[in-house]
Amino acid sequence: MTGADDRSRVGRRTFVAGAGAAALWGFGSGTTAEAAEPAEAAEPVEAAEPVEAATAGAGGIVEGNLPDFYPALKDELHFPLAWGTSPVRDFRTWRRTARAKVEECLLTGDDDTPYAPEYGDRAEADGYTRELVTFALTRYGRVRGALLTPHGTGPFPAVLLLHDHGAKFDIGKEKLVRPWYDGEERLPSAQAWADRYFSGRFVGDELARRGYAVLAVDALGWGDRGPIAYDQQQALASNLYNLGSSPAGLMALEDVRAAGFLAGLDRVDRRRVAAVGFSMGAYRAWQTAALTDAVAAAASVCWMTGLKEMMVPGNNTLRGQSAFWMLHPGLARHLDIPDVASIAAPRPMLFFNGGQDTLFTAEGVETAYTKLRAVWRARHAGDRLHTRTWPDLGHVFVDRMQDEVFAWLDAVL
C-alpha cells in the first residue's frame, strides 16, 4: 500500500486514545525453508542509489545506507556495562544497574495506570474458552486483546504471546490466535499467515489446548491498531522522537504492562508466566523477561544476534523502517543485544534460530549465544539456558520447533 490513501488509513479502527496511537514497531519476519526472501522484502521501498565517497574517510555513504566510517563507529562499541566487562561484580547489583540503563533509554517513564479490564465476545473451543478483553495497556489508552483460558480448575500457567512484524499489518494477535470475533473477517489472512510460518497452526490455540492461559495483544500499527503501511514507519518513528518518545520504548513498556496484567489475573498462577514470540515477537519476549520479574521464563524463536554482526552491508536492519522498533537511542554505548537479554538470568530462557535465516548472520547468532551461555554459566544455571540452531530451517516457527518449545515450557514452568 502506498500513497496518500494509505496515510489516511493510520489509526482506522484504533482502540487507542491520545498520543500512544502514533507508535508502531517491528522487524521483518520472513524467510521460510521454501522461500528465500523475507516477507518484509515482498514490498520493498525504493532506495536512493548509494553515493560512494570520493576519497576514503570523506564522510560519504556506502552500500547498505552506511556511512563510510561505520567500521570506526563499530570499533567504539565496547559494551562497558556488559556482565563480565562491567566493574560491578555482584550479579544482583549488576542486574539492577543494567535494567535501569535500559529503562532510561526507553524514554517512557513508569506507568501504574489501573488496567480496569472489560470482557467481551466469548466462545467455547476444544478444551478452552476464548474471550476478548479490553484494558488500559498504558496511560495512553485501552487496547483489545485475545484471552484464552483452559477448561478446568486454575490457577493455570500462562503465556504472553507476542506477534511478529512481517511487513503485514492487517493482523497482529490474529497471527497467533485464531480469530472468532468480528465475523471472522480476518480469518483468511490469519490462516494464510499460519500456513506460511507456523505449519498451519495457531500457536496460542495450541498452548491453550495444552493447559496454558494465553494473552495476545496487537502492537501499535497492527490489527485493531492500524493498519499502517510499510513505508510510513520512518515518519511515525521520527514523529515520536520529536515528541520526546521512542517507538521501541513504547513497545517495551506495553509488553511489560501486558505481562503484569496477565500475571495478575485470578485464573493465572503468577509464578508460572512465560513470554513467547517469533521474529519481532522473539525480540519482545526476551526483552520483556529482561525488564520485568513478572515473566518467569521466555522462549524466543528467530531473533537473537550480536549488534556488530548485524550492522553489516546487506543486512535487513540497514533498510531502516522496521528497525526503528528495536532501536533504543544510546543503549549500544552500554550494552550489546545479548547483554540486555542476560538481565533475565538465571531464569529459564530458550533461543532458536534457523540456519537458513537470512535476517541474521551465523556469526551474529553464535556471538550472541556465546555471550548468553557465559552469563548463565556464571550464575551456575547453564542448564536453564537452551540455545539451538536448526540447520535446515529459515525464518519460521514450524510444528517441530513448536513441539520442542511446548515441551520446554512444560518442564520449566
Side-chain angles (χ1 to χ4, degrees), residues 41-374:
E43 299 183 58
V45 178
E46 292 186 9
E49 289 297 319
V51 179
E52 297 292 346
T55 59
I61 305 298
V62 297
E63 60 180 318
N65 298 320
L66 286 165
D68 65 357
F69 51 86
Y70 78 91
L73 290 173
K74 289 171 67 171
D75 287 344
E76 292 178 0
L77 299 179
H78 303 298
F79 311 121
L81 193 52
W83 174 251
T85 301
S86 167
V88 179
R89 297 304 181 189
D90 176 74
F91 190 79
R92 291 184 179 179
T93 302
W94 174 81
R95 283 186 74 236
R96 290 194 298 270
T97 303
R99 181 182 282 181
K101 177 55 67 176
V102 178
E103 291 172 341
E104 175 187 330
C105 293
L106 300 185
L107 308 178
T108 58
D110 295 331
D111 194 328
D112 58 359
T113 305
Y115 292 112
E118 298 178 58
Y119 295 89
D121 196 338
R122 181 185 177 105
E124 296 301 323
D126 181 17
Y128 59 99
T129 300
R130 304 161 166 162
E131 60 187 322
L132 293 174
V133 56
T134 301
F135 62 101
L137 189 55
T138 67
R139 58 187 176 273
Y140 301 123
R142 298 174 63 78
V143 175
R144 186 172 73 158
L147 180 62
L148 311 180
T149 306
H151 292 163
T153 303
F156 302 101
V159 170
L160 175 63
L161 201 52
L162 300 160
H163 70 73
D164 61 81
H165 182 295
K168 184 173 178 58
F169 305 99
D170 63 313
I171 52 174
K173 59 186 176 296
E174 296 84 9
K175 293 179 177 181
L176 296 165
V177 172
R178 188 185 191 278
W180 71 94
Y181 43 84
D182 299 344
E184 296 188 341
E185 64 183 41
R186 296 174 190 158
L187 181 56
S189 182
Q191 186 63 63
W193 202 250
D195 292 343
R196 183 171 184 178
Y197 294 106
F198 309 127
S199 298
R201 289 174 167 178
F202 288 96
V203 177
D205 296 72
E206 291 292 324
L207 283 163
R209 275 191 284 269
R210 286 167 165 78
Y212 292 87
V214 174
L215 176 66
V217 179
D218 293 322
L220 288 166
W222 278 261
D224 294 340
R225 307 171 73 188
I228 192 70
Y230 177 88
D231 58 0
Q232 293 173 293
Q233 295 174 96
Q234 182 273 339
L236 281 170
S238 65
N239 291 339
L240 282 165
Y241 288 129
N242 277 328
L243 291 167
S245 189
S246 157
L250 285 169
M251 176 179 78
L253 173 64
E254 291 200 345
D255 292 342
V256 166
R257 289 271 300 170
F261 172 72
L262 179 61
L265 294 176
D266 290 342
R267 70 192 74 182
V268 167
D269 182 346
R270 64 181 309 115
R271 300 166 301 173
R272 295 193 292 161
V273 176
V276 176
F278 162 67
S279 192
M280 179 186 79
Y283 173 96
R284 297 166 66 190
W286 59 253
Q287 179 175 255
T288 304
L291 292 175
T292 176
D293 295 336
V295 171
S300 298
V301 180
C302 293
W303 213 114
M304 178 47 66
T305 182
L307 174 62
K308 291 184 180 182
E309 294 76 17
M310 184 173 69
M311 298 302 295
V312 294
N315 189 275
N316 186 75
T317 299
L318 274 58
R319 298 169 61 204
Q321 299 291 0
S322 63
F324 283 103
W325 320 119
M326 279 67 64
L327 194 164
H328 299 302
L331 184 57
R333 290 287 178 182
H334 306 278
L335 295 162
D336 197 359
I337 292 167
D339 299 331
V340 177
S342 295
I343 296 171
R347 282 170 284 163
M349 299 277 277
L350 176 149
F351 296 89
F352 285 168
N353 277 79
Q356 304 301 314
D357 190 339
T358 61
L359 298 180
F360 303 98
T361 65
E363 180 186 8
V365 173
E366 188 51 41
T367 293
Y369 283 2
T370 298
K371 285 190 170 187
L372 293 166
R373 291 178 192 125

